[in-house]
Amino acid sequence: MREAHAAGASALAAEPTGPAAWGWEGRTHGRRSPVARVLSMPEDKAGGNLWEGTVTAAAQIPASVPRPRLVGFGDWTKDGHAYRAELTEYVTLPVLQTGGPVLDRPLTLPGEWWAALRRTVDTIATVTTCRQSVRQQWIDRGFPRFNSIRHGTGPPQP
């Protein structure tokens, strides 16, 4: 993946810097630079939500939604694996949370931040998609794992 990232950066004329960041199941690799990430999977499995997400979002989400803009991307195959390099804008704003998607402390943000978030969510809600953010299989597996509730049973009744 490091070699693929370097190849993608070269093809997109970008200079990667900073530490490496590994993504889901080692299928993505990124570094601070305009090359946000390189995806990899067996050649016969290339495609689908993970593969197409950034390019699809760039095409379907209105320009008014703030986000790093997709500048370019490139696909190639080597030794039975497919790769996609994605070149996006680098965002210099500070992060609100590190270490995972769950907040570990209350955030103190101005009202305008929350109003802008509401406008953004409302705009995104108008985008037609066939993608699912959570599949039923994850719910069936995740509910018992995280809260001891089997899907469909609900919380214990008094």
Side-chain angles (χ1 to χ4, degrees):
M1 283 300 286
R2 288 181 182 96
E3 289 176 16
H5 190 275
S10 177
L12 295 169
E15 292 288 329
T17 62
W22 291 92
W24 189 72
E25 292 188 2
R27 290 186 183 172
T28 65
H29 178 270
R31 289 180 61 197
R32 179 179 293 163
S33 77
V35 176
R37 67 181 185 160
V38 171
L39 296 87
S40 169
M41 57 185 56
E43 193 172 350
D44 63 337
K45 297 195 185 298
N49 289 341
L50 178 66
W51 195 263
E52 299 291 338
T54 303
V55 174
T56 301
Q60 293 182 342
I61 294 178
S64 63
V65 173
R67 64 190 185 279
R69 303 297 176 198
L70 178 65
V71 177
F73 69 97
D75 297 328
W76 72 98
T77 59
K78 181 178 179 184
D79 299 329
H81 281 80
Y83 298 92
R84 169 170 280 179
E86 297 171 344
L87 180 66
T88 59
E89 294 176 327
Y90 180 71
V91 176
T92 60
L93 296 171
V95 298
L96 298 177
Q97 169 70 28
T98 61
V102 178
L103 294 174
D104 59 7
R105 61 183 166 69
L107 298 177
T108 304
L109 298 166
E112 178 49 37
W113 188 94
W114 292 105
L117 177 61
R118 171 54 49 204
R119 286 190 303 274
T120 297
V121 169
D122 289 345
T123 300
I124 291 172
T126 67
V127 176
T128 303
T129 182
C130 62
R131 293 177 65 117
Q132 295 176 319
S133 59
V134 178
R135 290 186 178 84
Q136 188 64 48
Q137 295 88 344
W138 186 90
I139 293 170
D140 292 345
R141 185 178 67 241
F143 269 60
R145 180 176 171 203
F146 296 114
N147 62 15
S148 301
I149 298 173
R150 288 192 332 258
H151 176 64
T153 64
Q157 298 299 313

